[in-house]
Amino acid sequence: MSIYSIGLTGLNAAQSGLVTTSHNISNANTPGYSRQRIVQGSNTPVMTGAGALGQGTHVSTVERMYSQFLTNQVNRAQSSVSELETYYAQISQIDNMLADPSSGLSPALQEFFTGVQQVSSNPASVPSRQAMVSAAESMVARFHGLENRLDELAQSVNGQINSTLAQVNSYAEQIAELNQRIVLAQGAYNQPPNDLLDQREQLITDLNKLVKVTTTQDSNGAYNVFVGSGQQLVVGSIANSFVATPSSADSTRVVVGLRTVGGNVQELPESLLTGGQLGGLLAFRAESLDPAFNKLGVVAASMALTFNAQHGLGQDLLGNIEGDANFVADFFTLLEPRVVGNSNNDPASPAVSATLTSPPPHNGTNFYTDLKGSDYTLAYDGASFRLTRLSDNVSWTGADITAINTALAGDPQGFSLSATAGAFAAGDSYLIQPTREASRNIGVDSRVSSDPRLIAAAAPIRTSATINNAGDAKISNPSVGLNYSVNGLPLTLTFSGGDLSGFPAGTLTVTTGSGSTNYAVAGPATTIPYVSGARYSFSAAVPATDPSEVAFDMLGTPADGDTFAINRNNGGLGVSDNSNALLLGRLQTQSTSLGGTASYQASYAQLVGDNGNKTREIQVTGKAQEALLNQSMAARESLSGVNMDEEAANLIRYQQAYQASAKALEIGGRLLDIILAI
């Protein structure tokens, strides 16, 4: 009987081996499946006087070939690869758009300044002026087109965040359901439900493609799944859910909230959500899309502000200058910056607004802006305000808005703040976006578009050397300052004994290669040393009656009695004058942006270069992470993957074991027959 019973145990063990091997072969292509094997053990022997006689074998369990370490390694690599693939798919669209030689901004900038140069070549020509307006409108349309494309990407990111969160929630619910089934199965049979465990691991892997998660295992075998710094997504059989919700700081921006079982929604900081498609979308938006909006806005705002500043110092074809009722100082239109109060602010708190700062002159040659291409937050803690630049977390503090503006005066950012009447509450915060929508809001003044004669191509003042002068000294075309005055003109300067006289009362600055010297002028009789090649600029003590903020260069050797006239630029000479148009054209190559360090084109090129470098960085890093993922998957497959050759060998091995056990049963049966026959 022992031979019979032992053979039967071997038969059962071999059958279990055949079933397990067949199961492996059938699931060779099942995602997440881990190879299984039977674990055999010897039955308890029978002790006899002749020694311990074996009682056959048994299958103690069916073991899956699984390593938590290798699986975690694959999940981490998969999370990084999915994040970088998503990031690259988005940023490459911006890279292609900005760098396109035909649809990018560079050709439009060049075409516009070509139009400015045509006006400077023929300022009296209305068709040339119309061509300049048309080129300006084309450039504005290009700004709008780029802004609209970026806005489409922003809306696409919002939509993808919504769909990704729906998938995350679906996986979370499935994991919670499997947790419950696994706990019940293990409790009922005290054996691991291998196929259910594989299904759960595959869901964890798929979830890591969407967002990086970490897991812990309870003593009953259930998984707890966490995101970020420990926010619970799945706890046992309970699944929380992600929701797409408007940001409290900016309602147009979709952010991720975590809804608990109680129904409360916790807005999660974007820095916590890394890895996977969701992490890639959020990182792309914060690191590339938002800067693209702001840096493109820097170009648009700098163009509008500096061009307007210079344009306002000119004279149009009708003879109008600053102060005249029909004069149009601003060639471009531009709205003020966007400021958004946090939705959690006290409803009674004041509204905050921002105003773009008028461009200061750069070394006396051109205007420039201090805009940095970043968003800012203004927060009040109950005692003081803190303004923070979000691109690098540089901050300024002050007891009130006025103090913040004072701090900004020492470190200009291109804007100032103001607030309506009322008291702020502790915890109030405001999002300030100086350049975010500038490329959407720039436009050409409709009055200039309808009447190109309003382009201020001429200077409001002209200079000339008297035709009968005996010397060879020359006086350059004049330039005027922001608060210039033409009152008291004409003005006559006279050279005598090495000095000039005739300047209005006020301050005169003489600038040479060795520096500047200021002179106090009591009136026209005050004499000032003449220096060939020097620049003379004067500010009148009383601009209401005297000309002021006028500058010009003088070169050559005058003779005693030579005179030089400074007049209003009206009449026929004003029509043909291109002095201000030349200054407008020079803005193309001058340092007009980023604190006077870059031209319009250089500022845009920096945007294109930064985005291109980031695109390349993401591409290279993604390939490296993909190689790491392949290595990790190969290591896991070497342990958990189904090898068809190995399984074929196992079939033969278990078949032979089955046949041998069956033979033992046959022999046992014959022996029993012999015993019964005696």
Side-chain angles (χ1 to χ4, degrees), residues 442-495:
I442 188 174
V444 178
D445 192 289
S446 59
R447 293 169 294 178
V448 177
S449 297
S450 60
D451 188 356
R453 295 177 300 171
L454 298 180
I455 296 175
I461 298 173
R462 69 173 183 266
T463 57
S464 62
T466 304
I467 193 170
N468 295 324
N469 283 352
D472 63 358
K474 295 179 175 58
I475 185 170
S476 70
N477 289 332
S479 60
V480 295
L482 288 172
N483 299 307
Y484 75 91
S485 168
V486 296
N487 295 319
L489 293 179
L491 195 69
T492 301
L493 305 180
T494 303
F495 177 82

Side-chain angles (χ1 to χ4, degrees), residues 27 70 85 89 98 103 145 166 223 225-226 245 250 265 278-279 296 355 426 431 447 459 464 494 593 628 633 646:
N27 287 279
L70 292 177
E85 286 179 345
L98 295 178
S103 63
Y223 268 5
V225 183
F226 305 94
T245 181
D250 182 2
V265 176
L278 183 60
L296 183 62
T355 303
L431 175 66
R447 293 169 294 178
S464 62
T494 303
S593 303
L628 181 61
M633 293 180 67
E646 181 182 356

